[in-house]
Amino acid sequence: MRYIEPHAHMVSRTTDDYQAMVVAGCAAVCEPAFWAGFDRSSAAGFYDYFCQLTEHEPRRAAKFGLPHYCWLCINPKEAEDVKLAQDVVALMPQFLERSNVLGIGEIGLNKNSRNELKVLELHVDLAARQNQLILVHTPHLEDKLKGTRLILDVLKADGRIKPERCLIDHVEEHTVKMVLDQGFWAGMTLYPETKCTAARAVDMIERYGSERLWMNSACDWGVSVPLAVPYAAQELRRRGHDAATIDRLVYQNPKRFLSQCSKFKLIEPTV
């Protein structure tokens, strides 16, 4: 089986995880900018983090033959400090042209606050001005339905933003339909304790189809499973889905969305 891991925070993972993903058939890994588990105190900390995502981590992945791509932003979990966010967004253009940067993400909302909305709008404006793809985080602990509606309103209000170039991640049963109905892509995040299990993800696929949907592990420094995508493929297989459907969900769909950035390239396996 081949698959793409479209959302994984590999700076938090070990080299053993890289090895396991490659053995399982991973063809590329994409790493959105994330919260470090603590709030960084200055934009200089983000400068170093962006260097890590664009210089060090691709070299670490390359040791296992795995292409590494990333997304840049100040994550919504650190977006309450608007001045810090403005300083970080000002840093980003010098990194956006680097060869493994796919776009702006994961931006969005965490607590659905006014400051988070201001920072979301800053990122959306930058994405529009630089013609970047957008990857969006939707809230986990606060009201996901309200947060998703607020995010879609911000994106739809900006006439420069094309829904087909935005992926709304961490959708669940009560948000996936509104995302797809408005023309956006949707991501289902597979977690053992929170977000969405493989069984729930397959339920949503069976109800809403496989168009403009992908699955990811979002593995980070918390309780998470780097092989969650191949495990979900196993659940699809157990329920009788054929190989072509599984390939579309775990490989073709992420490839189709990510290939809207010309920098995203895959080495197609030879048989």
Side-chain angles (χ1 to χ4, degrees):
M1 190 193 80
R2 60 183 183 176
Y3 77 100
I4 294 168
E5 174 51 83
H7 185 148
H9 300 291
M10 298 307 294
V11 301
S12 308
R13 309 303 306 196
T14 68
T15 50
D16 287 348
D17 294 324
Y18 272 122
Q19 178 75 18
M21 291 165 70
V22 170
V23 169
C26 190
V29 62
C30 308
E31 178 156 8
F34 190 49
W35 183 53
F38 59 92
D39 290 349
R40 281 161 278 216
S41 60
S42 71
F46 284 88
Y47 182 94
D48 291 342
Y49 179 45
F50 294 160
C51 288
Q52 183 181 19
L53 290 176
T54 57
E55 297 172 13
H56 175 72
E57 204 59 34
R59 286 198 295 269
R60 199 162 75 103
K63 292 179 181 176
F64 300 89
L66 189 60
H68 176 282
Y69 296 93
C70 69
W71 303 75
L72 303 180
C73 73
I74 177 170
N75 190 277
K77 291 185 177 181
E78 288 178 278
E80 275 301 326
D81 186 337
V82 176
K83 177 61 172 65
L84 173 63
Q86 290 170 335
D87 292 343
V88 174
V89 171
L91 278 176
M92 289 168 55
Q94 63 186 293
F95 289 94
L96 289 175
E97 294 307 313
R98 293 194 174 188
S99 61
N100 74 325
V101 179
L102 298 172
I104 308 294
E106 55 183 305
I107 59 175
L109 299 175
N110 181 42
K111 298 178 181 176
N112 299 335
S113 71
R114 291 182 184 276
N115 283 351
E116 289 175 2
L117 271 171
K118 289 180 184 175
V119 174
L120 171 62
E121 290 169 345
L122 282 177
H123 282 109
V124 170
D125 177 65
L126 177 62
R129 287 188 283 111
Q130 302 263 344
N131 193 32
Q132 298 286 330
L133 296 177
I134 294 175
L135 177 64
V136 176
H137 164 101
T138 52
H140 302 309
L141 303 178
E142 299 297 327
D143 188 335
K144 181 182 284 287
L145 182 63
K146 177 182 176 182
T148 303
R149 284 176 173 155
L150 289 169
I151 290 165
L152 297 187
D153 287 347
V154 168
L155 294 170
K156 298 285 280 188
D158 191 323
R160 300 169 297 175
I161 299 299
K162 298 178 180 177
E164 66 271 22
R165 289 175 57 81
C166 304
L167 186 131
I168 313 301
D169 214 346
H170 317 320
V171 298
E172 295 181 4
E173 291 84 347
H174 59 310
T175 59
V176 61
K177 186 175 186 300
M178 78 165 75
V179 169
L180 295 174
D181 284 351
Q182 296 188 50
F184 296 95
W185 282 72
M188 297 178 290
T189 297
L190 307 164
Y191 260 31
E193 294 183 350
T194 59
K195 300 186 179 74
C196 179
T197 64
R200 286 173 56 195
V202 177
D203 286 345
M204 283 188 269
I205 291 164
E206 291 176 345
R207 180 166 184 179
Y208 298 106
S210 58
E211 181 72 15
R212 285 185 285 115
L213 270 173
W214 78 25
M215 297 184 287
N216 61 77
S217 75
C219 57
D220 53 36
W221 37 260
V223 178
S224 51
V225 179
L227 296 183
V229 173
Y231 290 165
Q234 189 178 25
E235 175 67 9
L236 281 160
R237 198 174 298 114
R238 187 186 71 79
R239 294 209 202 174
H241 293 277
D242 61 23
T245 300
I246 296 170
D247 188 64
R248 180 165 60 252
L249 280 160
V250 303
Y251 185 82
Q252 296 291 349
N253 276 5
K255 177 184 175 185
R256 188 153 60 97
F257 178 80
L258 297 168
S259 293
Q260 294 181 88
C261 174
S262 60
K263 289 181 279 187
F264 184 77
K265 305 289 185 187
L266 288 172
I267 302 171
E268 296 292 344
T270 56
V271 178

